Amino acid sequence: MAGRRSVLDQLPPGGREDAVQRQQPLRVRGRSVAWVPPLVLLACIALLDWNTAGEFRIISWIVLVPGIAAAICGVWGTAAFAVLSLLTYITVDTSWPHQYQTGLPDFILVAMGGVLAVLACAVRVRGEQRMLHMRDIAETTRRAVLRPLAPGWGDLDHAAVYLSADSEARVGGDFYDIQPGLHGTRVLLGDVQGKGLAAVEAAAALLGTFREAAYHEALLRTVADRLEIRMLRHVRYSVALGRDDRDRFATGILIGFPAAAPDAPDTIEVVNFGHEPPLVVAPDGVRSLPPGDGLPLGLGELASDPPPVLRVALAPGETLLLVTDGVTEARDADGVFFPLRDIVAGALAEDPRTADPQLLVRFVRDGTLRHCGGHLADDTTIFAVRRR
């Protein structure tokens, strides 16, 4: 798969939200020391040439200095090393007797090497600026689709991490959100079939509908129906534009935390659109929610009945763990799938505090990446929510 590379560099430090990290190599305490390697190389070549026999001159190797600078320094730094290399060449070469001087040919070599190094550095810097601009656009798109969630949003403790299988794209078809509303708080997590901008557009369409319907609608059944209709409308619109989106669909989990349920204060409602059922993680163990037997969003016309609304008990202190198939389908070198439930159960046995959403998401993220060696086969979302 194009762009399938290690995503270990995407991990946010300390569990913070993933963000564009501009690489700044060769920095010490925040200050650039990129000038040190070419300067050391320049000094070494000059000293070695000064202390060798006249029959073995190496001063022309100084052409390597601006080349090294072009790879790690800026344009002006590279130009400075090109000039410095030329001056050093003239100084060292003219200090030898005439019969041992390398003369004009090597002078031209060093001069042309410096000019080419500056040009190469300018091309490199422009490419880096363009790459950072595209990464900023991708990050802005990701934040527009997967908006940041305030702590305690919807009266839920929550934590989430999203990792794109394409480490440059940084955005894909996974989506999640929490929407408090007039009739309680609703949670949605899903995965649009396919890759690229078409999947992102479908995810954005579903999230937009969810944020409005989850706020206004009294019944979770109505929210689920509106999501199904939105997916069908989006597919028809994409096909009308000439795109090959006729078979696009999305799996998902829709969860409702009722605002007031005196008869069942610890009950939640769940609609499963063909997605892996969430895990209920508590300090004393792990259990799975019922699968629900619903078809993915966009395929509801193939079934006679809509996905059922399940009512499930969720005791205080229990955390819902929702993941996309980047976790459940992660494989190791032997092709073994990541044993999510067993791994989480083992962690809880060692430390019951793992049920905390922040700790749980971080644990599952790290475990998934270790299991697959940092090479995810699909976009990965890990989302944990718990009543405050």
Short mmCIF file of all heavy atoms in Angstrom, two decimals, residues 5-12 369-370 373-375:
data_model
loop_
_atom_site.label_atom_id
_atom_site.label_comp_id
_atom_site.label_asym_id
_atom_site.label_seq_id
_atom_site.Cartn_x
_atom_site.Cartn_y
_atom_site.Cartn_z
N ARG A 5 4.07 3.12 5.97
CA ARG A 5 5.35 3.20 6.67
C ARG A 5 5.09 3.21 8.15
O ARG A 5 3.96 3.25 8.62
CB ARG A 5 6.11 4.46 6.25
CG ARG A 5 6.59 4.41 4.81
CD ARG A 5 7.33 5.66 4.48
NE ARG A 5 6.42 6.79 4.37
CZ ARG A 5 6.83 8.03 4.22
NH1 ARG A 5 8.11 8.30 4.20
NH2 ARG A 5 5.97 9.01 4.11
N SER A 6 6.16 3.15 8.90
CA SER A 6 6.00 3.13 10.34
C SER A 6 5.31 4.38 10.83
O SER A 6 5.57 5.48 10.36
CB SER A 6 7.37 3.00 11.01
OG SER A 6 7.24 3.09 12.41
N VAL A 7 4.39 4.20 11.79
CA VAL A 7 3.68 5.35 12.37
C VAL A 7 4.17 5.63 13.77
O VAL A 7 3.54 6.37 14.52
CB VAL A 7 2.15 5.11 12.37
CG1 VAL A 7 1.63 4.99 10.98
CG2 VAL A 7 1.80 3.85 13.17
N LEU A 8 5.29 5.06 14.16
CA LEU A 8 5.79 5.31 15.50
C LEU A 8 6.07 6.79 15.71
O LEU A 8 5.94 7.31 16.83
CB LEU A 8 7.06 4.49 15.75
CG LEU A 8 6.85 2.97 15.87
CD1 LEU A 8 8.18 2.27 15.91
CD2 LEU A 8 6.01 2.63 17.09
N ASP A 9 6.46 7.49 14.62
CA ASP A 9 6.76 8.92 14.77
C ASP A 9 5.50 9.76 14.94
O ASP A 9 5.58 10.94 15.23
CB ASP A 9 7.52 9.44 13.54
CG ASP A 9 6.71 9.26 12.27
OD1 ASP A 9 6.05 8.22 12.10
OD2 ASP A 9 6.77 10.18 11.43
N GLN A 10 4.33 9.14 14.78
CA GLN A 10 3.09 9.89 14.95
C GLN A 10 2.65 9.94 16.41
O GLN A 10 1.72 10.67 16.74
CB GLN A 10 1.96 9.26 14.14
CG GLN A 10 2.18 9.26 12.64
CD GLN A 10 0.97 8.72 11.93
OE1 GLN A 10 -0.16 8.99 12.28
NE2 GLN A 10 1.19 7.92 10.91
N LEU A 11 3.27 9.18 17.27
CA LEU A 11 2.79 9.09 18.64
C LEU A 11 2.96 10.42 19.35
O LEU A 11 4.04 10.99 19.37
CB LEU A 11 3.57 8.01 19.40
CG LEU A 11 3.33 6.59 18.92
CD1 LEU A 11 4.13 5.63 19.77
CD2 LEU A 11 1.87 6.23 18.95
N PRO A 12 1.89 10.94 19.94
CA PRO A 12 2.00 12.19 20.69
C PRO A 12 2.69 11.96 22.01
O PRO A 12 2.40 10.99 22.70
CB PRO A 12 0.54 12.60 20.90
CG PRO A 12 -0.23 11.33 20.85
CD PRO A 12 0.52 10.41 19.93
N LEU A 369 0.91 -1.07 18.36
CA LEU A 369 2.11 -0.74 17.59
C LEU A 369 3.24 -1.73 17.83
O LEU A 369 3.98 -2.09 16.91
CB LEU A 369 2.55 0.67 17.91
CG LEU A 369 1.62 1.78 17.40
CD1 LEU A 369 2.06 3.14 17.91
CD2 LEU A 369 1.57 1.78 15.88
N ARG A 370 3.37 -2.18 19.08
CA ARG A 370 4.40 -3.21 19.34
C ARG A 370 4.06 -4.49 18.61
O ARG A 370 4.95 -5.16 18.07
CB ARG A 370 4.50 -3.47 20.84
CG ARG A 370 5.33 -2.46 21.61
CD ARG A 370 5.69 -2.98 22.99
NE ARG A 370 4.50 -3.29 23.77
CZ ARG A 370 3.89 -2.42 24.59
NH1 ARG A 370 4.38 -1.19 24.71
NH2 ARG A 370 2.83 -2.77 25.26
N GLY A 373 4.76 -4.08 14.89
CA GLY A 373 6.07 -3.51 14.57
C GLY A 373 6.01 -2.09 14.05
O GLY A 373 6.92 -1.64 13.34
N GLY A 374 4.94 -1.37 14.38
CA GLY A 374 4.82 0.01 13.95
C GLY A 374 4.28 0.20 12.56
O GLY A 374 4.20 1.32 12.06
N HIS A 375 3.88 -0.91 11.88
CA HIS A 375 3.39 -0.82 10.51
C HIS A 375 1.92 -1.21 10.50
O HIS A 375 1.58 -2.40 10.46
CB HIS A 375 4.20 -1.72 9.58
CG HIS A 375 5.63 -1.32 9.47
ND1 HIS A 375 6.06 -0.35 8.58
CD2 HIS A 375 6.73 -1.72 10.14
CE1 HIS A 375 7.37 -0.19 8.70
NE2 HIS A 375 7.80 -1.00 9.65
#
